[in-house]
Amino acid sequence: MRGTMLYGPGDVRFEERPDPKIIESTDAILKVSAACVCGSDLWPYRGIAQIDGPAPMGHEYVGIVEEVGSDVKHIKPGQFVVGSFWASDNTCPICQAGYQSRCVDARPIGAEGAQAPWLRVPLADGTLVATPELPPDDLIPSLLSASDVLGTGWFAADAAEAGPGKTVVVVGDGAVGLCAMIAARQMGAERIIAISRHGDRQQLALEFGATDIVTERGDDGVAKIKDMTGGLGAHSVVEAVGTQESMMQAIHSTRPGGHVGFVGVTHGVELPGMDLFWATVHLHGGPAPVRRYLPELLDLIWNRKINPGRVFDLSLPLEQVAEGYRAMDERRAIKTLLRP
Ligand SMILES: [Zn+2]
């Protein structure tokens, strides 16, 4: 098959790779129906995160099961499935507590490379969730979003304890931040404040449930949130960027006793001890345990209660994956969907 490889900054190639095969008896092989480019793929693409030599790319996927290993009991060939970007056994104590992304046997799907027509998924029974039947084509973008950005936004809103009567601030207007707004609304938040400077993203934020838009960042953004909340700060703040500025903006925008859900992969973030000490907030975050939320998210999508697939504003044939990266890097696209 041909699949996506990153050779170095800006150097994405769609080239010959070995066909994935069952390696372990708990594996499944999927015929990928759709994959996409993640905001986190842009870190190595921009040379901010280092890679050691050419690396397969892509960790978000939906597809049809082609073949399963001899120990796979629940997932069957022919099913349409969605899986998390971390494979997990879903049985160990960490999984049972709802933190499947940190499963004792967690495997990164990125190492397999989902931006390809075929994909090996380890720990298939623990990782994959099947839809009730083959989905209509128009649901595929939303189902794909559940594989990462929707699940990650959901975890962030949950970790920030979004809920009825709460004011929720979302720092970051990428696909994850936008999906956190869908989550906050579903969780019953009273007020959802999007931090965004981009017109197209502000529009989507409002569609997803934001009640207010704030354009200021850093300390100005914090002052604005304090202003809007009677000087107290928000109950719940989602951090979906991963920079020093966004992390401190999130912490300082939270009222004492409030909750920060942080899911932006951090780059160079250092938290000053005294700021943390006086903030008096709950910090909860990390790689989202998307698997925990998949059954609920698939149900909401299947019944057309939410439409997170709207975050994909560019759709390309898989072989044009390099243009998909360029468009996101240059902010011409929020998120690129790829069709084999
Ligand atoms: Zn586990």
Side-chain angles (χ1 to χ4, degrees):
M1 69 169 186
R2 288 202 301 156
T4 306
M5 298 287 287
L6 182 68
Y7 276 72
D11 188 1
V12 171
R13 302 184 199 175
F14 190 67
E15 63 175 23
E16 205 56 45
R17 292 192 54 208
D19 288 336
K21 288 195 299 276
I22 301 281
I23 296 172
E24 295 170 87
S25 60
T26 48
D27 289 350
I29 302 296
L30 306 191
K31 185 177 201 304
V32 174
S33 303
C36 50
V37 181
C38 185
S40 67
D41 294 334
L42 295 181
W43 293 103
Y45 181 80
R46 289 171 173 158
I48 297 166
Q50 294 298 316
I51 52 167
D52 309 320
M57 295 298 288
H59 54 263
E60 299 155 280
Y61 58 97
V62 291
I64 295 176
V65 179
E66 177 76 8
E67 189 188 353
V68 295
S70 56
D71 286 321
V72 176
K73 304 290 182 225
H74 304 296
I75 294 297
K76 311 267 187 243
Q79 284 179 326
F80 185 95
V81 291
V82 184
S84 162
F85 57 98
W86 280 99
S88 57
D89 58 18
N90 211 26
T91 55
C92 77
I94 305 296
C95 284
Q96 289 295 297
Y99 289 85
Q100 290 90 337
S101 53
R102 301 300 315 281
C103 174
V104 296
D105 196 15
R107 323 274 186 92
I109 296 292
E112 309 295 326
Q115 291 159 4
W118 298 93
L119 176 67
R120 179 180 86 103
V121 177
L123 306 171
D125 273 339
T127 305
L128 299 171
V129 178
T131 54
E133 49 193 279
L134 293 184
D137 210 52
D138 69 316
L139 281 188
I140 285 183
S142 286
L143 291 166
L144 175 62
S145 77
S147 180
D148 182 352
V149 286
L150 177 63
T152 296
W154 214 271
F155 171 60
D158 198 11
E161 302 216 338
K166 300 277 185 79
T167 294
V168 179
V169 169
V170 178
V171 181
D173 62 359
V176 169
L178 290 164
C179 286
M181 297 172 206
I182 300 178
R185 180 176 216 177
Q186 287 289 319
M187 291 170 190
E190 183 174 302
R191 195 171 186 194
I192 301 169
I193 304 171
I195 311 291
S196 176
R197 291 181 162 180
H198 305 92
D200 52 339
R201 296 168 190 233
Q202 292 172 355
Q203 210 46 51
L204 204 47
L206 293 170
E207 186 181 318
F208 281 172
T211 53
D212 303 83
I213 305 279
V214 164
T215 55
E216 289 88 348
R217 292 206 304 214
D219 291 341
D220 293 343
V222 172
K224 183 85 189 195
I225 297 301
K226 289 271 170 72
D227 229 35
M228 296 167 77
T229 52
L232 299 176
H235 303 90
S236 304
V237 180
V238 166
E239 194 288 326
V241 184
T243 62
Q244 182 72 19
E245 183 186 69
S246 62
M247 193 63 155
M248 295 319 297
Q249 183 177 352
I251 291 170
H252 289 151
S253 297
T254 309
R255 70 178 59 187
H259 294 76
V260 178
F262 63 99
V263 292
V265 181
T266 61
H267 288 82
V269 173
E270 290 185 20
L271 302 181
M274 285 309 273
D275 278 39
L276 267 187
F277 184 79
W278 285 110
T280 331
V281 298
H282 304 255
L283 293 178
H284 186 189
V290 168
R291 177 63 184 80
R292 187 205 308 179
Y293 302 102
L294 278 180
E296 178 188 358
L297 299 181
L298 265 52
D299 190 61
L300 287 167
I301 292 165
W302 196 261
N303 293 304
R304 300 182 185 271
K305 300 270 170 52
I306 57 175
N307 189 14
R310 292 271 292 118
V311 296
F312 295 104
D313 53 352
L314 177 65
S315 182
L316 293 173
L318 180 58
E319 61 263 30
Q320 292 176 33
V321 57
E323 167 57 16
Y325 276 77
R326 270 195 301 277
M328 282 175 63
D329 180 44
E330 294 165 8
R331 289 184 174 273
R332 285 183 282 119
I334 298 173
K335 195 164 176 70
T336 307
L337 184 135
L338 302 165
R339 292 278 201 158

